[in-house]
């Protein structure tokens, strides 16, 4: 279950990659713009501002996120990224930090590119920090008993692999950025991963076991990401971007 409030606790940090992704989409007057995995809808509204004449289609697999998006004024629906197909008038598809949850997403991206009309745009970004201490410690503390809740240790491709995937497109723009994020609070990295990477762990544990898990994970994260004297914590976060015009 997704918690929109927990996810939005770092709204500014989570928004920046979205805006930098969409800025590279050079569509002028698209007819339909789709936000695949719209989350709580706080970023979807900017698509309507960017392309006011377009129909903005938004969906997410989480009923909780869709409810939050609708409360924010977004006409969102529950749908499955693995079965969704673009309508014939779709000119822009945007997917922000969603495809890493879908093991088959390279195949899905290829299908979308084939289904879109010539000249349409496809843009997505995924986290690329799965080898970092945050994720390594999550798996270590979970141990073998919870190994089944994790996806592959590398659930996304490398930038060059995404470039190869989109290599037949007219435009294939792939890059990566490491954001050194300034977080605050007693356990800011724990708070960050609680809203995303720790969701499968939380869902698999009882309340008592979850509290024990967090009690073991928290000090390890504090050691890996030490707090500065001014109370801030630096959290490097690598993201991989891909923008293509088919």
């Amino acid at each position: 279950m997704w918690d929109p409030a927990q996810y939005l606790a770092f709204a500014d940090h989570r928004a920046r990659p979205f805006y930098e992704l969409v800025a590279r989409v050079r569509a002028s007057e698209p007819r339909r713009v789709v936000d695949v995995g719209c989350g709580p809808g706080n970023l979807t509204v900017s698509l309507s501002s960017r392309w006011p004449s377009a129909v903005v289609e938004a969906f997410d697999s989480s009923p909780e996120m869709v409810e939050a998006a609708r409360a924010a004024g977004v006409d969102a629906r529950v749908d499955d990224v693995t079965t969704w197909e673009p309508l014939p008038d779709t000119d822009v598809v945007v997917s922000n930090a969603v495809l890493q949850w879908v093991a088959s997403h390279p195949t899905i991206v290829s299908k979308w590119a084939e289904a879109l009309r010539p000249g349409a745009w496809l843009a997505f970004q995924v986290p690329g920090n799965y080898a970092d201490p945050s994720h390594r410690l999550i798996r270590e503390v979970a141990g073998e008993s919870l190994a089944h809740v994790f996806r592959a240790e590398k659930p996304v491709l490398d930038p060059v692999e995404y470039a190869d995937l989109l290599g037949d497109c007219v435009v294939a723009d792939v890059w990566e950025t490491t954001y050194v994020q300034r977080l605050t609070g007693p356990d800011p990295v724990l708070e960050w991963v609680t809203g995303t990477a720790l969701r499968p762990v939380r869902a698999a544990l009882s309340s008592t076991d979850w509290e024990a898990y967090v009690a073991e994970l928290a000090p390890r994260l504090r050691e890996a990401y030490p707090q500065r004297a001014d109370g801030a914590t630096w959290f490097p976060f690598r993201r991989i971007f891909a923008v293509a015009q088919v």
Side-chain angles (χ1 to χ4, degrees), residues 89-110:
D89 64 344
T90 301
D91 291 323
V92 177
V93 175
V94 177
S95 179
N96 184 59
V98 173
L99 295 178
Q100 72 275 11
W101 296 103
V102 184
S104 61
H105 77 264
T107 300
I108 292 171
V109 167
S110 295

Side-chain angles (χ1 to χ4, degrees), residues 3 20 35 44 70 81 88 95 100 104 168 187 207 217 229 245:
D3 182 347
E20 294 182 4
D35 189 355
T44 311
R70 288 175 177 168
V81 66
S95 179
Q100 72 275 11
S104 61
D168 292 334
D187 284 302
S207 295
L217 178 63
Q245 185 182 30

Side-chain angles (χ1 to χ4, degrees), residues 10-53:
F10 298 96
D12 181 60
H13 290 303
R14 300 194 196 281
R16 182 178 172 185
F18 175 88
Y19 291 122
E20 294 182 4
L21 175 72
V22 174
R24 298 292 293 172
V25 177
R26 299 194 297 273
S28 56
E29 294 184 0
R31 295 165 296 173
R32 179 179 297 271
V33 176
V34 184
D35 189 355
V36 175
C38 63
N42 58 309
L43 299 175
T44 311
V45 295
S46 70
L47 298 176
S48 296
S49 300
R50 168 79 181 273
W51 294 294
S53 63

Side-chain angles (χ1 to χ4, degrees), residues 122-142:
L122 170 61
F124 61 89
Q125 70 88 6
V126 292
N129 62 336
Y130 293 98
D132 288 357
S134 56
H135 287 67
R136 175 173 53 79
L137 291 170
I138 287 172
R139 294 191 294 267
E140 287 181 4
V141 175

Side-chain angles (χ1 to χ4, degrees), residues 142-222:
E144 291 298 324
S145 63
L146 287 175
H148 64 283
V149 308
F150 298 106
R151 295 153 289 152
E153 289 192 12
K154 184 191 168 188
V156 300
L157 304 183
D158 290 330
V160 172
E161 292 174 310
Y162 284 123
D164 280 339
L165 188 68
L166 300 168
D168 292 334
C169 295
V170 175
V171 173
D173 183 8
V174 181
W175 73 98
E176 61 179 283
T177 299
T178 297
Y179 299 92
V180 182
Q181 299 178 161
R182 184 186 181 94
L183 306 183
T184 58
D187 284 302
V189 177
L190 176 63
E191 289 297 314
W192 177 281
V193 296
T194 296
T196 52
L198 281 178
R199 286 181 50 251
V201 178
R202 180 65 186 92
L205 295 176
S206 67
S207 295
T208 300
D209 289 341
W210 167 249
E211 291 175 5
Y213 176 86
V214 169
E216 183 176 352
L217 178 63
R220 296 194 187 194
L221 289 174
R222 287 196 294 269

